[in-house]
Amino acid sequence: MPEVPPEAPTGDELLKVLSALGNPHRMRIIAALMESRNYVSALAREIGMGRPLLHMHLQRLEAAGLVVGTLELAQDGKAMKYFEVAPFFYELTPHIIARAAATITETADRTDRTPKEEAK
């Protein structure tokens, strides 16, 4: 059976993914999770980042659909959230970007601005 190509992302989806990947810490998190799934505390130690900052980056990656988090109970009854890389594939060509740009909503346009840009 031939493989079906992935559906082209909307402008909003593409902006969310590119924004999530546009940070070196988040790219390192994806690389570390490619080795194996991990829970927040162990992943923080592995990449040398504080848990609160790591959690913020993981939320951004999860919102973009690049990682998946699942709560699991440890043997001692403690809840632990494990993260792993979600399967994804994005192809960037001028044609795909032009198609995606035509679908960008005003909401997406505002979410990519810094607080200083919003104040203008």
Side-chain angles (χ1 to χ4, degrees):
M1 176 180 250
E3 190 172 314
V4 177
E7 195 173 309
T10 66
D12 295 358
E13 292 167 342
L14 189 56
L15 283 172
K16 191 178 277 192
V17 167
L18 292 175
S19 177
L21 290 174
N23 179 288
H25 295 302
R26 291 192 284 270
M27 288 182 69
R28 287 184 191 105
I29 291 166
I30 295 270
L33 291 174
M34 283 298 301
E35 298 296 319
S36 67
R37 72 188 198 108
N38 216 335
Y39 60 97
V40 175
S41 295
L43 185 59
R45 285 189 299 272
E46 181 181 332
I47 62 176
M49 181 182 292
R51 286 190 333 231
L53 181 59
L54 175 61
H55 189 68
M56 185 269 309
H57 286 302
L58 286 167
Q59 285 178 322
R60 187 85 178 263
L61 290 166
E62 193 171 27
L66 301 173
V67 301
V68 177
T70 54
L71 276 176
E72 298 180 19
L73 286 179
Q75 288 181 341
D76 63 1
K78 184 178 177 183
M80 299 172 71
K81 190 163 186 178
Y82 279 85
F83 286 90
E84 60 188 317
V85 175
F88 63 87
F89 176 84
Y90 290 93
E91 182 177 29
L92 288 178
T93 65
H95 180 71
I96 289 171
I97 291 171
R99 256 191 357 223
T103 66
I104 295 172
T105 64
E106 284 187 34
T107 303
D109 195 29
R110 284 193 305 264
T111 59
D112 199 34
R113 295 182 188 165
T114 64
K116 282 185 181 179
E117 291 172 327
E118 282 290 322
K120 289 181 182 178

